[in-house]
Amino acid sequence: MPSASFTASRSYVRRSRRKGANRIPTPSRTTSAEPCEPSCPVPNQNIPAPTAAAPGSGGPSALAPGSSGGAIPAHHSPYDLRRKSPSHHDGPGPSTSAATAGSPTSPATPTAPAQGYTSAMLPARKRPRRTCSASYENCTNTAAHYLQYELPDEVLLTIFNYLLEQDLCRVSQVCKRFQAIANDTEIWKRLYQSVYEYDLPLFNPAPCVFQFISPEESDLANPWKESFRQLYRGIHVRPGYQDLTFKGRNLVYFNTIQAALDYADERSGSNGTTGSVSGSSGHSEGTNQGALIFLHAGTYRGEFLVIDDSDIALIGAAPGNVAESVILERESESTVMFVEGAKNAYCGHLTLKFSPDVTSTVPHHKHYCLEVGENCSPTIDHCIIRSTSVVGAAVCVSGTGANPIIRHCDISDCENVGLYVTDFAQGTYEDNEISRNALAGIWVKNNANPIMRRNHIHHGRDVGIFTFDNGMGYFEANDIHNNRIAGFEVKAGANPTVVQCEIHHGQTGGIYVHENGLGQFIDNKIHSNNFAGVWITSNSNPTIRRNEIYNGHQGGVYIFGEGRGLIEHNNIYGNALAGIQIRTNSDPIVRHNKIHHGQHGGIYVHEKGQGLIEENEVYANTLAGVWITTGSSPVLRRNRIHSGKQVGVYFYDNGHGKLEDNDIFNHLYSGVQIRTGSNPVIRGNKIWGGQNGGVLVYNGGLGLLEQNEIFDNAMAGVWIKTDSNPTLKRNKIFDGRDGGICIFNGGKGILEENDIFRNAQAGVLISTQSHPILRRNRIFDGLAAGVEITNNATATLESNQIFNNRFGGLCLASGVQPIVRGNKIFNNQDAVEKAVANGQCLYKISSYTSFPMHDFYRCQTCNTTDRNAICVNCIKTCHAGHDVEFIRHDRFFCDCGAGTLTNQCQLQGEPTQDTDTLYDSAAPMESHTLMVN
């Protein structure tokens, strides 16, 4: 039998011509239309047809391009394959029998040309398309000529539809016309689907790579034929086909997988190679490949499959969803095992099941659905993997040198761990679906270091990915969500790298790093988890970098129980609790983050939390930008903390730490608040734009405020009240829209070497039993008084310079007796005395926003109260002859001039709104502590 090839025959024709082989005579070309060109000669037919019952009779290599079945004999015309018999009767007598045409044992004997049969006898549409030369006249009257040139395409197409692949390849070598018809895509699609059953062409462009490509997307003229050619070397496991014989087909069938594996081993041992493919598949001639075994639709139970030293490929073959139709199942031991030596083995488009008998006494805790051992690197592709074992894992990869490729697999609904990588194993795991497993979706343990990309890990009944006991790994672009515990857990020295993953909608947290865990979490999206987006605890020290951490139902990053970590360049926003929470002796580094628009505070440090917090931007949070409390002592440097809906930085309940070189601005409350025993160091900051003042120290607060710039706040630059006792040194407090420093309600404090200037109210106001110490300060260019002391307060003033203030330098209310030593009070404008001397109402110089200190009267005739102050000039002019009473020398504006009394002021213009006299600046708003655990 001649060998056939799937490739075109033109090169074979050229080789025959160069060797001087006999050729079919070519008619003279008198027209522009070309005839069908004769194609390559067909070798002799000495080899018997292979059958499934005789698997050794040629093997898949019979269809390799350019192969031959024996020596080339003396040439006979290739169209003689279509002759009925070597008879010499007249007439065309061409055979149209498909059986005869397709039989590999048909003789190839030439016949004499028929006599008296001319082209004039043919219908017009079937006449030759060119005029032949006289020397060729007899040739044109033969049956062969009719077959090649005159038989309708439809008839040939019908005949070719009855041929199998080898005969179809042979007839394609007859001439160009036959070749074109034999390459019909529908013919090859029918042949392909009858053998392989696939809905689409499957290509094998490289070892361990099989790809379905739609014909519409293929660049090949006939993708069905090319796929057929690439796969033809395969061995088929198709129950019921082993004893069938197909003439014109060289395929091997078996009923069991083990029989196919045994045959592959025998063939490999006897041939030294297991076959080759070439042509457009991308392989060069002679490239060796392992055996290819097709498993056709069905359930294969109980077969013990151990793939060892052969580079074999097992692939399902079925229409529709291939993997769902081809099932391998075992009840004991592992379903499929790859062991040492299986370097390029392949398993694809199969369902693998491990369903141990629950009533069996045989232990199966070390048995798996798929097991990959040391020193092997198989490819597992498009498989469905299921295990009902309640111990172990569905897939286990273990041992040094274990380096599989597992891709496009579905590892779901298992009653144990989905994928388990351990004991120094590696491997690449891509585009897998891992879901709804009873334990972790993935375990990585004991120095294993896999690469996992684009996997979908979700709805697990435990953690999504669990790395522990020094497990490592590189995890990229995975989608991890809706797992019952954390999306990603790191424990006990594990050190994974997790990049560009999306970890979200976890029923607890997103990432949980504990018990000395490490890891690098970079460029991930961590959001919408029920607990914190990231948990770090128990001496763990991960790197959390350039992540988006947002919309958590609790906090963003939660560091507790002596946790550490580097938290940098993250965007943390929209979380229900603090963006970052640090507690219980934890000491992370937090830098270059954006922490904003939280429904709670920005950074919350409590219960002896520490940490270096630097160069972050914390803004637009609902509560405080930074909270520091309960013995905590973090260091905050060079942060921008702004635009919050409450306080910028809030120290309370013994909160300590350092606040250095920060910009704190535009908060609805004050920029900084210190209370209840807190004693921070606040140095070198710019604090401005607070709607409730710059710094508020109250309820026993302490602290050192040094070399800060505090300016442009809506109320006092610094408030000190209610037994607080801070130290202010070398600060610049200026351009406030209220006073510079306001001390009242028993406030104390030491104010040394500060510059206090250009404030709208008093540079320093001391009131209500307060007793601060002011040393070596400069208080100047104020729009009201320099220093005012009122309401039974006192103070110690030593070596201060008070100058160029509008209302006066040092203004003391009735009964105030401060300790005054070595102060320089000079060049103040004394606008109050000047207004009184000029007979003006004091409201003229103060309106209702300032409170100049002068004599304070009331009018009993007008029935005013001690809440209605009247200046001395209004008493003399507007209330002349009335029963008046001197109250005291104090801070007030004139209610007569303000137009709030019954009689209109004769020294002032139009009346204004009633504001009542205010003895002190407006009281600051205090933050209410919301405890968060």
Side-chain angles (χ1 to χ4, degrees), residues 627-638:
W627 294 17
I628 301 170
T629 182
T630 52
S632 299
S633 55
V635 175
L636 284 80
R637 291 194 181 110
R638 298 184 299 278

Side-chain angles (χ1 to χ4, degrees), residues 357-433:
D357 185 356
V358 295
T359 63
S360 173
T361 59
V362 177
H364 53 266
H365 64 285
K366 292 187 177 180
H367 297 150
Y368 311 93
C369 189
L370 172 65
E371 184 174 354
V372 180
E374 61 185 17
N375 296 318
C376 66
S377 51
T379 297
I380 317 300
D381 185 22
H382 283 96
C383 286
I384 299 171
I385 300 173
R386 302 285 185 264
S387 174
T388 60
S389 173
V390 296
V391 294
V395 179
C396 177
V397 182
S398 66
T400 303
N403 191 19
I405 297 173
I406 298 181
R407 61 194 178 201
H408 302 294
C409 291
D410 182 357
I411 308 171
S412 302
D413 298 308
C414 301
E415 295 301 322
N416 45 28
V417 174
L419 171 60
Y420 178 29
V421 189
T422 186
D423 295 340
F424 297 91
Q426 298 183 14
T428 301
Y429 309 81
E430 296 178 334
D431 302 296
N432 299 290
E433 181 85 4

Side-chain angles (χ1 to χ4, degrees), residues 49-265:
T51 65
S57 59
S61 61
L63 287 177
S67 62
S68 64
I72 299 177
H75 177 71
H76 299 290
S77 298
Y79 55 77
D80 287 341
L81 286 171
R82 290 297 189 179
R83 300 293 300 271
K84 274 186 176 180
S85 65
S87 60
H88 298 279
H89 63 81
D90 293 342
S95 171
T96 58
S97 168
T100 303
S103 171
T105 59
S106 299
T109 305
T111 63
Q115 299 297 322
Y117 183 71
T118 65
S119 59
M121 298 175 62
L122 295 173
R125 68 178 185 87
K126 297 182 180 178
R127 291 175 183 169
R129 290 173 293 174
R130 70 166 65 242
T131 303
C132 297
S133 64
S135 62
Y136 193 61
E137 188 67 30
N138 292 331
C139 179
T140 59
N141 295 327
T142 63
H145 184 274
Y146 180 74
L147 281 172
Q148 290 189 68
Y149 299 109
E150 306 302 332
L151 191 65
D153 290 352
E154 294 83 356
V155 176
L156 281 176
L157 188 61
T158 302
I159 294 170
F160 289 1
N161 265 295
Y162 285 93
L163 304 182
L164 297 184
E165 57 278 358
Q166 289 188 331
D167 293 332
L168 199 58
C169 288
R170 291 189 188 95
V171 300
S172 71
Q173 297 174 4
V174 172
C175 65
K176 281 188 175 181
R177 183 181 178 216
F178 280 24
Q179 184 186 47
I181 297 174
N183 272 324
D184 182 75
T185 56
E186 289 301 318
I187 292 178
W188 283 100
K189 178 179 179 181
R190 178 187 58 79
L191 281 172
Y192 174 86
Q193 293 184 335
S194 69
V195 173
Y196 303 105
E197 304 187 82
Y198 299 128
D199 294 335
L200 294 174
L202 177 67
F203 295 94
N204 182 203
C208 298
V209 177
F210 292 87
Q211 299 173 341
F212 286 106
I213 299 178
S214 170
E216 293 77 15
E217 298 175 359
S218 174
D219 295 330
L220 298 169
N222 193 340
W224 300 99
K225 179 180 178 180
E226 175 59 23
S227 176
F228 202 115
R229 186 190 69 79
Q230 291 185 24
L231 305 180
Y232 201 73
R233 63 191 175 90
I235 303 166
H236 293 255
V237 179
R238 193 168 188 180
Y241 274 65
Q242 178 166 331
D243 298 326
L244 300 180
T245 301
F246 298 93
K247 291 185 178 181
R249 174 165 290 165
N250 190 13
L251 295 177
V252 183
Y253 290 91
F254 293 96
N255 290 328
T256 65
I257 302 171
Q258 191 59 54
L261 291 171
D262 292 344
Y263 169 71
D265 288 342

Side-chain angles (χ1 to χ4, degrees), residues 532-537 554-560 579-583 606 933:
V534 179
W535 290 13
I536 303 171
T537 185
Q554 289 192 6
V557 179
Y558 180 28
I559 309 164
F560 64 102
I580 297 178
Q581 185 176 170
I582 305 169
R583 62 178 289 209
H606 60 121
N933 292 319

Side-chain angles (χ1 to χ4, degrees), residues 325-559:
S325 301
V326 186
I327 301 170
L328 279 65
E329 184 172 10
R330 281 188 65 85
E331 294 183 352
S332 63
E333 301 186 347
S334 297
T335 305
V336 177
M337 296 175 61
F338 291 92
V339 298
E340 185 169 0
K343 293 294 186 181
N344 290 305
Y346 176 89
C347 179
H349 297 278
L350 303 171
T351 292
L352 308 179
K353 288 186 177 181
F354 181 46
S355 307
D357 185 356
V358 295
T359 63
S360 173
T361 59
V362 177
H364 53 266
H365 64 285
K366 292 187 177 180
H367 297 150
Y368 311 93
C369 189
L370 172 65
E371 184 174 354
V372 180
E374 61 185 17
N375 296 318
C376 66
S377 51
T379 297
I380 317 300
D381 185 22
H382 283 96
C383 286
I384 299 171
I385 300 173
R386 302 285 185 264
S387 174
T388 60
S389 173
V390 296
V391 294
V395 179
C396 177
V397 182
S398 66
T400 303
N403 191 19
I405 297 173
I406 298 181
R407 61 194 178 201
H408 302 294
C409 291
D410 182 357
I411 308 171
S412 302
D413 298 308
C414 301
E415 295 301 322
N416 45 28
V417 174
L419 171 60
Y420 178 29
V421 189
T422 186
D423 295 340
F424 297 91
Q426 298 183 14
T428 301
Y429 309 81
E430 296 178 334
D431 302 296
N432 299 290
E433 181 85 4
I434 303 174
S435 62
R436 300 183 301 276
N437 296 293
L439 299 180
I442 298 173
W443 274 8
V444 180
K445 178 184 177 183
N446 194 17
N447 297 289
N449 194 11
I451 295 174
M452 299 194 175
R453 293 190 177 101
R454 298 183 303 278
N455 299 288
H456 189 196
I457 304 160
H458 61 102
H459 288 94
R461 287 170 274 170
D462 200 272
V463 67
I465 299 176
F466 185 22
T467 58
F468 61 107
D469 291 352
N470 300 301
M472 296 183 286
Y474 183 82
F475 302 83
E476 181 182 8
N478 300 285
D479 188 4
I480 306 169
H481 64 93
N482 289 101
N483 296 286
R484 192 177 68 84
I485 307 182
F488 203 114
E489 183 174 352
V490 182
K491 176 182 177 182
N495 188 14
T497 299
V498 182
V499 299
Q500 296 179 352
C501 294
E502 186 168 3
I503 304 171
H504 58 106
H505 290 94
Q507 296 179 35
T508 55
I511 297 170
Y512 181 29
V513 188
H514 61 118
E515 296 183 31
N516 298 292
L518 300 168
Q520 302 79 46
F521 297 85
I522 304 169
D523 294 322
N524 301 286
K525 290 185 177 180
I526 305 164
H527 65 93
S528 309
N529 296 287
N530 282 351
F531 293 173
V534 179
W535 290 13
I536 303 171
T537 185
S538 52
N539 297 299
S540 296
N541 190 18
T543 296
I544 312 294
R545 194 163 190 264
R546 292 201 309 263
N547 302 283
E548 298 268 336
I549 304 172
Y550 60 99
N551 292 352
H553 297 172
Q554 289 192 6
V557 179
Y558 180 28
I559 309 164

Side-chain angles (χ1 to χ4, degrees), residues 293-346:
I293 299 178
F294 292 98
L295 309 184
H296 288 263
T299 300
Y300 300 86
R301 289 189 175 91
E303 297 212 44
F304 184 60
L305 300 182
V306 179
I307 313 300
D308 46 22
D309 59 352
S310 59
D311 296 341
I312 202 158
L314 298 174
I315 185 167
N321 189 318
V322 180
E324 291 181 353
S325 301
V326 186
I327 301 170
L328 279 65
E329 184 172 10
R330 281 188 65 85
E331 294 183 352
S332 63
E333 301 186 347
S334 297
T335 305
V336 177
M337 296 175 61
F338 291 92
V339 298
E340 185 169 0
K343 293 294 186 181
N344 290 305
Y346 176 89

